[in-house]
Amino acid sequence: MRTGSARYLSAVKVLLIEDEPELRRSIRTYLQGEGFVVDSANDFPTAHEKTTQYIYDAVLVDITLPKGNGLDVVRELRAKHPTTGIIIISAKGSLDDKVRGLDLGADDYLPKPFHLPELVARLRALIRRKRFDGNTAIELDELRIVPEDKLVEVHGQRVDLTIMQFDLLLFLVANKDRVLSRTAIVEHVWGDMAERLDHDGFLYSHMKNLRKKLLEKGCRDRIQTVYGLGYRLSTRA
Amino acid sequence: MKLLQRSSLYQLALAVPIVIVGTAIGYWLVSAVVKEEVDEQLTFRSKRIAQDLRNGKEDFTTGASSEMMLVVPGVSAGTMFMDSVMPEPEDDGELMPWRIGRFPAEYADGTPCTITVGRSLLETEDLVMGIAASMTVLLLLVVLANLLLNRWLSRKLWKPFHHALATLERFRMDAPSAGALPASDVDEFNAMNRTLDTMMMKMRADFTTQKRFTEQAAHELQTPLAVMQGKLDQLIQSPNMGEQEAGTIDGLFQARERMGRTVTHMLLLARIGNRQFAPERIDWSALFRDQHAALEDLITERGINFTMHEEEACRVRLHPLLAELIVANLLRNAVQHNIPSGSIEVAIHASSFTIRNTGPELPVDPTTLFDRFAKGDPSSASTGLGLSIVKEIADGNGLLVSYTISHGTHTIAVRNG
């Protein structure tokens, strides 16, 4: 869906509300590199002003803000712009903050520290849900993915993937042409609350299987291993 | 032994000699009094006999079998009393106690003679025994009453102590205070209660401070870790990276990840204990199925045979997020510490569920299994906090977690406490 993704990605406007300057800069640069239009606010009054004046597709909001609370931003936004996607990015990685944030109408909750590819993947999933009610396919030339149906096709032929392989592929596609570290991938697939398993070797064999399944159906060899770092899904020929 | 029993025992030990000595003294006193009384009677009788003698009377036999009087001529040494025994003709000649008195006297003509009067002590003996017996009973009653009074008093007096003890037994640093110990009208107990109250308050305050510190420290670390992560994620996008740099960066990734996980778990641990999570009914088998689905590929890859058996819907109640944490951690633990082609069996019962898995012998002491940072392999990527999270959740919600091992099978059970 090159044309399709270009159509909606070019227009996606994101407001980043984060008071830590270095983190703000990193997120901003990374998201811009992914084609998002990023506006930012560093405290509550600025956030309030911007959310009142403009309409964003998505707002990333930190809970602890100078001169106010991010949860209030969530409440205000939800009342005014129900279609805006809201992701809470918080250092207060506690369960009740998560529950409270989601109760107030946030769409997702991402505890710090997070991987930027994870943020991108969630942001894309959110935009997809908000804009197209989830009825959208992601297309990369011969590769077609329908996230809601967990469907993957190559040249119109269905590829049978396990849930985990599907998650892996979706994560790679959401961050196409980016290097994804192994830890980012593992954390995406297994979450971070529970104890970590030693699965680097497992990830490797899974990646190999995924690649094999795609190649068998005639997909281009898109999944590349990047040195000792991780993987990348390439859209380039 | 209880304090009350011990003090009762001492009282009893003291009461026994008191009763014995008291009875002995009582007997001796009563018989002395009785003897004196008999002696007086004998003296009185002898005086009357002496009177009669002066009046010329000479025959002094008496019909009463319990008495005796005899006047024989001859000089006597002086008045004297003695105990004696005499055969009782009416009782087969058995010897009976008598009291005999001898008094010097004179006939009417002035020749000296000796009056001997006697009296059977049979009746007085009965009297003495009766008095001694009633005294013994009385003493016993007094001792018994004293014992009972002491017991009752102790119970009443020690009540504040037992109350304080019960409070201490129930004391938990992470539970809210149930209020100060009640005031007592005994100064010592008041002093004790005050000290205990202060102590418990201090412990709670210290514990809260410490937890808050953990929470804050962990929280403060989140942001720099996020910055670090962001920079690393950007750094690896750099197109001109050599293999050596990649290796270095990968090391940083791993370290960052482990740090982040430890911090997250520390924060989680601090918070599980700090907050209340309302328990709800949980569909445990669905939860296990979900978590199994998330791990299915890994389980298949390792050739682990997963089975789940639901005997009855489990009624263990928990907040859904905590329930998910418990199941995720236990299942991951069972996968991580398994053997190739091993097995995991989940059994769900009405008031408990168990996870049984094959696995190598524990490299750690089983009693420290649920301790924080207890790891089989110190260099593993695991934080060693997974099972402590399970334990913390269980403790905070009145559940019991137990671990048993037999023949290479590890079983962790969670049940209603």
Side-chain angles (χ1 to χ4, degrees), chain B residues 26-141:
Chain B
Y27 177 83
W28 180 78
L29 272 175
V30 171
S31 46
V33 168
V34 165
K35 213 167 264 179
E36 206 174 289
E37 184 64 26
V38 170
D39 289 354
E40 251 172 50
Q41 282 178 15
L42 292 178
T43 311
F44 179 68
R45 180 142 306 154
S46 79
K47 279 186 181 150
R48 277 184 39 194
I49 293 171
Q51 184 75 41
D52 287 347
L53 278 173
R54 277 196 291 281
N55 292 340
K57 195 174 174 199
E58 290 195 6
D59 180 26
F60 292 102
T61 49
T62 166
S65 64
S66 59
E67 283 184 5
M68 169 196 102
M69 38 189 92
L70 193 68
V71 180
V72 285
V75 183
S76 66
T79 308
M80 63 179 287
F81 294 99
M82 67 192 107
D83 290 320
S84 176
V85 286
M86 268 190 268
E88 172 63 48
E90 278 172 30
D91 201 3
D92 290 340
E94 199 178 323
L95 296 175
M96 290 294 166
W98 280 75
R99 185 76 175 163
I100 310 284
R102 280 204 181 120
F103 304 92
E106 287 172 353
Y107 290 112
D109 56 2
T111 40
C113 63
T114 304
I115 303 170
T116 305
V117 282
R119 200 191 144 110
S120 166
L121 288 179
L122 198 57
E123 283 163 25
T124 53
E125 194 88 323
D126 287 347
L127 184 72
V128 170
M129 286 312 279
I131 291 172
S134 54
M135 268 187 66
T136 312
V137 169
L138 206 69
L139 259 172
L140 279 173
L141 277 177

Side-chain angles (χ1 to χ4, degrees), chain B residues 368-389:
Chain B
T368 66
L369 189 68
F370 293 103
D371 286 1
R372 293 169 184 196
F373 301 111
K375 298 204 265 189
D377 173 11
S379 65
S380 89
S382 149
T383 57
L385 290 173
L387 286 181
S388 10
I389 289 174

Side-chain angles (χ1 to χ4, degrees), chain A residues 22 94 116 164 179 193 196, chain B residues 231 233 257 265 271 297:
Chain A
E22 281 300 324
S94 78
L116 293 178
M164 212 195 94
V179 179
M193 283 301 206
R196 177 174 173 185
Chain B
K231 300 287 168 200
D233 285 331
E257 202 248 348
H265 285 183
R271 295 204 161 161
D297 290 331

